[in-house]
Amino acid sequence: MTNAPLSILQADPAGLAVAANMLRVGQLVAFPTETVYGLGADARDDIAVAGIYAAKGRPSFNPLIVHLSSLAMAETLCDFNDDALRLAGAFWPGALTLVLPLKPDSGISKLVTAGLDTLAIRVPDHPVAQALLAGFGGPVAAPSANPSGRVSPTTATHVADGLGHKINGLVDGGPCDVGLESTIISCVGTPMLLRAGGIPAEAIEACLGRPLATSADPETPVAPGQLASHYAPKGSIRLNAITAEPDEVMLGFGSVDAPLNLSPSGDLIEAAARLFDCLHQLDAMGATRIAVSPIPNHGLGVAINDRLQRAAAPRD
């Protein structure tokens, strides 16, 4: 998050070049898509992605949609089956997001996926977004460019009024075509509708030649992050621990002597960026019992605590 003045950039080659360079150095840039303005960051940069959550005041680490310039770029990040290729061919660029298995060497921040092994991706149908993504040459995580819980922005003025000095750049591409958010389809196994949106389910079913699956079981999440214990490492977790017991591995925060520390300086943005990686490291260490330092419950600390509480929840 930044306190620097917001740079308003024109949607011309010079402005887009500046915006692409901002993304390269880990800054936050808002830009128009065909539906709303998105708040973009390099999807491979943990600190930059944590900055999205901080700027928006997003209450939890929900998986973010990654915007790409082309199907070819998408195929470097995810595994496409025949259904996914058919849908991408029919509806990209456009308001369709596909959830697909993430390739192990993708380089995507775990904060983008909320620690899951799938990625939500789309190719937007907007000339300014396309030009910026092509100029940047990489994946851009971009939820709507508004404070969490507020109305989605469809003009640059909406973005500036809502986020002010919390972001670095804003590409003014004029008003967006006001419409629904993207339709989200999981293509992990049988295609499943996760969120209705700008492309009708009937059109998707016509393309596939069969009905989409739906989840009728309330215990089965239809979108990532809904199960209470979904984010759990293999070991059990004890929260708000001041010190570790003899058989525990300490996950510290602040000036705590611990083999793993979310942020020795007590920086919540750094802690957010490191959270999922630390949970994976605890698994790699074979930790069976984990003690976690208290995390301040404000700002990004609310989201960190939400995920740690899910990770510590009782398991079947």
Side-chain angles (χ1 to χ4, degrees), residues 286-310:
T288 58
R289 297 189 66 212
I290 301 159
V292 183
S293 292
I295 308 295
N297 202 42
H298 60 78
L300 281 184
V302 176
I304 295 168
N305 282 318
D306 170 77
R307 284 306 182 256
L308 287 171
Q309 288 159 8
R310 291 172 184 267

Side-chain angles (χ1 to χ4, degrees), residues 8-12 15-16 19 29-40 67-68 122-133 140 142-145 153-157 159 167 169-178:
I8 306 292
L9 304 168
Q10 296 304 306
D12 56 22
L16 290 170
V29 177
F31 62 95
T33 75
E34 69 271 35
T35 54
V36 300
Y37 274 73
L39 179 55
H67 293 64
L68 303 163
R122 87 177 183 101
V123 177
D125 186 16
H126 191 287
V128 175
Q130 278 286 320
L132 176 60
L133 292 167
V140 174
S144 57
T154 58
T155 69
T157 299
V159 177
I167 66 176
L170 166 58
V171 179
D172 187 350
C176 302
D177 294 331
V178 180

